[in-house]
């Protein structure tokens, strides 16, 4: 989880806890708390309304994300009259990675495939280090086409979006003696 996401969730959690404690303190008939709340009622009322608004907006956003975000799966299940075959996401990523490595002058190929539940489409992200210094854009287009073709061949669904990052070969200045 990204640090900014943790920070936002932490702030919302603290606001929610404080809001729950304030509401409980207002409803619980404890005399010292009631005297303190009556003394600071105007400030407490406004802070309680602001806290309620923050929590409401947060939970509306969470609900919208839950309803509108496409579901992705970790395994692909192919059904036939002879039974079901389950292919893991990692196996598909390794297959595409090895295909790219064998057909293009690249190394350290990392592939991330998103499999959508309804099998309507997939998304793929490829990150590779080229062994050449030139023609990186053309090499990236060829790698993208290879990834799309391999995924379409294996999964039988089109690739909705492909992102390819090709990094140039770096001169290390180290001489290798064989």
């Amino acid at each position: 989880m990204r640090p900014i996401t943790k920070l936002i969730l932490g702030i919302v959690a603290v606001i929610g806890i404080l809001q729950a404690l304030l509401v409980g303190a207002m409803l619980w008939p404890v005399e010292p708390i009631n005297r303190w709340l009556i003394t600071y009622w105007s400030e407490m009322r406004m802070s309680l309304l602001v806290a309620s608004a923050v929590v409401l907006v947060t939970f509306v956003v969470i609900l919208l994300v839950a309803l509108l975000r496409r579901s992705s799966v970790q395994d692909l299940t192919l059904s036939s009259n002879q039974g079901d075959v389950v292919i893991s996401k990692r196996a598909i990523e390794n297959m595409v990675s090895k295909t790219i490595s064998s057909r293009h002058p690249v190394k350290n190929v990392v592939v991330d495939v998103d499999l959508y539940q309804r099998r309507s489409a997939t998304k793929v992200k490829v990150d590779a280090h080229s062994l050449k210094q030139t023609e990186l854009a053309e090499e990236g287009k060829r790698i993208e086409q290879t990834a799309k073709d391999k995924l379409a061949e294996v999964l039988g669904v089109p690739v909705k979006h492909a992102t390819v990052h090709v990094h140039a070969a770096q001169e290390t200045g180290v001489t290798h003696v064989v």
Side-chain angles (χ1 to χ4, degrees), residues 111-160:
V111 177
D112 182 30
V113 176
D114 287 334
L115 306 169
Y116 293 119
Q117 208 165 15
R118 295 188 185 109
R119 290 192 205 159
S120 59
T122 60
K123 283 180 16 179
V124 63
K125 295 177 206 160
V126 179
D127 190 44
H129 294 271
S130 177
L131 299 176
K132 301 186 302 184
Q133 291 275 348
T134 60
E135 301 177 357
L136 295 179
E138 292 83 14
E139 190 65 41
K141 289 178 184 176
R142 290 191 293 269
I143 290 172
E144 178 181 345
Q145 192 58 47
T146 301
K148 284 181 175 182
D149 292 344
K150 188 63 176 180
L151 281 172
E153 174 189 329
V154 171
L155 301 177
V157 295
V159 176
K160 179 181 177 182

Side-chain angles (χ1 to χ4, degrees), residues 38-127:
I38 290 172
T39 307
Y40 297 106
W41 174 246
S42 61
E43 296 89 7
M44 196 66 63
R45 182 174 165 208
M46 187 54 74
S47 63
L48 190 59
L49 286 173
V50 169
S52 295
V54 168
V55 171
L56 175 69
V57 167
T58 302
F59 283 111
V60 166
V61 168
I62 291 171
L63 179 64
L64 289 175
V65 167
L67 293 176
L68 301 178
R69 186 163 181 178
R70 294 183 90 174
S71 298
S72 63
V73 293
Q74 295 297 319
D75 296 326
L76 177 68
T77 304
L78 303 172
S79 300
S80 70
N81 58 356
Q82 296 176 343
D84 294 341
V85 175
V86 178
I87 303 172
S88 73
K89 177 183 170 188
R90 181 175 283 165
I92 294 169
E93 291 170 348
N94 285 339
M95 191 180 314
V96 173
S97 176
K98 288 180 182 179
T99 302
I100 291 171
S101 293
S102 67
R103 294 184 186 172
H104 302 281
V106 293
K107 63 179 182 176
N108 300 333
V109 179
V110 177
V111 177
D112 182 30
V113 176
D114 287 334
L115 306 169
Y116 293 119
Q117 208 165 15
R118 295 188 185 109
R119 290 192 205 159
S120 59
T122 60
K123 283 180 16 179
V124 63
K125 295 177 206 160
V126 179
D127 190 44

